[in-house]
Amino acid sequence: NSSHTLSDLRFGDFGWCQFNSGNAEGYDFLYNSPVLIDHLRNEGFDIILLDFKKGATYIQENAAVLKELLQRINSYKIGKEPIILAGASMGGQVTRYALSSMDNNGEEHCVSLWISLDSPHKGANIPLGFQEMLQDLADNPNPQYAEVQEQLANTLNRPAARQMLIHQRPGYSLFNTYFNELESLGFPREVMSYGIANGSGEA
C-alpha cells in the first residue's frame, strides 16, 4: 500500500526498513547491511527480523515470542536446513533465554549457530550516579527538554532494563531474580555459539 509510512511497518523505531536501508533515520552503522542481505539471499538464505511489540518488557516475555517464531519457522520450512540465530545487546539475552529454555525442556529449535553480539551476559553497568541524575532531571524538568528527560529516565525503569542493570535505585531492581534464573538455565547447549563483545571483555 503506497499510503504506508516507514513507521507503519514497525512497532518501535527500528524495523525491516531500517535494517535493510543501510542509512535511514540515524542507523548509519548498518551502511553495509544491504550488501550483506543481498549476498545472503543470493546464497539461498531467508532472512527474518523479529520486531517486538514491547521491546523493553520482561526478557522472558520476548523470549516466549521468539520461541513461537522458531516453532513457526520449523513448521513452515521445507527441508531440514538449520537456523542461524543472532541477537544484539538485549537481543542476545532474549535469544539466550529462548534457546536455553528450549534445550532444558527438550524442545526442538533447529538452531545450529547462535551469535550473541555485545550482550551483557553478566549484567549491564550504568553508574548509579548517572541513573540518579537522569531521574532528578525527569523530576525537575527544564521545559525545553522535559520530554527527552522523562524519556531517558523511563528507559532505565522499564522491565528489561531493571532485569539487566547491576546497580539500580532502591526498590527497582529485578537483576538478582533474572540473573539467578538465567544462570540456572545456562547457555544454549545444542548450538555452536559465538559471543562478540564490545566492552571490557570480562563477560
Side-chain angles (χ1 to χ4, degrees):
N1 187 332
S2 60
S3 64
H4 283 172
T5 65
L6 289 181
S7 60
D8 293 329
L9 304 175
R10 64 179 189 238
F11 285 121
D13 59 0
F14 184 88
W16 179 259
C17 292
Q18 289 70 36
F19 181 61
N20 189 39
S21 69
N23 188 14
E25 299 184 31
Y27 292 101
D28 55 343
F29 58 90
L30 290 173
Y31 67 94
N32 272 332
S33 62
V35 176
L36 175 62
I37 290 169
D38 286 345
H39 176 74
L40 291 172
R41 283 178 163 164
N42 289 337
E43 291 292 319
F45 289 94
D46 295 314
I47 303 169
I48 298 172
L49 176 71
L50 178 53
D51 184 10
F52 296 107
K53 188 171 185 180
K54 296 181 179 179
T57 191
Y58 296 95
I59 291 168
Q60 295 92 327
E61 291 184 20
N62 281 333
V65 174
L66 174 58
K67 286 168 66 173
E68 183 179 341
L69 175 62
L70 291 172
Q71 290 162 349
R72 288 189 184 198
I73 291 170
N74 286 315
S75 68
Y76 291 144
K77 75 180 183 184
I78 298 171
K80 296 184 178 180
E81 291 81 2
I83 296 169
I84 298 170
L85 183 64
S89 190
M90 186 164 50
Q93 295 295 299
V94 172
T95 51
R96 174 184 171 182
Y97 192 99
L99 292 176
S100 296
S101 61
M102 292 179 84
D103 283 346
N104 288 342
N105 294 329
E107 300 173 70
E108 276 292 335
H109 49 64
C110 296
V111 174
S112 64
L113 172 63
W114 170 56
I115 301 169
S116 170
L117 177 63
D118 199 21
S119 183
H121 290 292
K122 289 189 176 180
N125 188 8
I126 296 178
L128 191 56
F130 183 69
Q131 296 180 50
E132 291 287 359
M133 179 193 74
L134 290 179
Q135 189 60 52
D136 186 64
L137 288 171
D139 293 340
N140 304 284
N142 176 324
Q144 187 177 356
Y145 306 109
E147 186 177 342
V148 174
Q149 291 170 345
E150 184 177 2
Q151 183 180 7
L152 286 171
N154 287 340
T155 296
L156 296 180
N157 292 334
R158 295 183 296 184
R162 291 167 56 198
Q163 287 180 301
M164 289 190 295
L165 283 172
I166 299 170
H167 306 291
Q168 296 179 50
R169 302 171 71 238
Y172 279 73
S173 181
L174 298 171
F175 175 81
N176 289 334
T177 303
Y178 170 68
F179 272 90
N180 286 339
E181 183 180 359
L182 194 66
E183 189 71 21
S184 69
L185 287 173
F187 281 91
R189 296 186 302 276
E190 304 299 323
V191 301
M192 182 183 293
S193 302
Y194 280 90
I196 303 171
N198 189 26
S200 67
E202 295 178 358

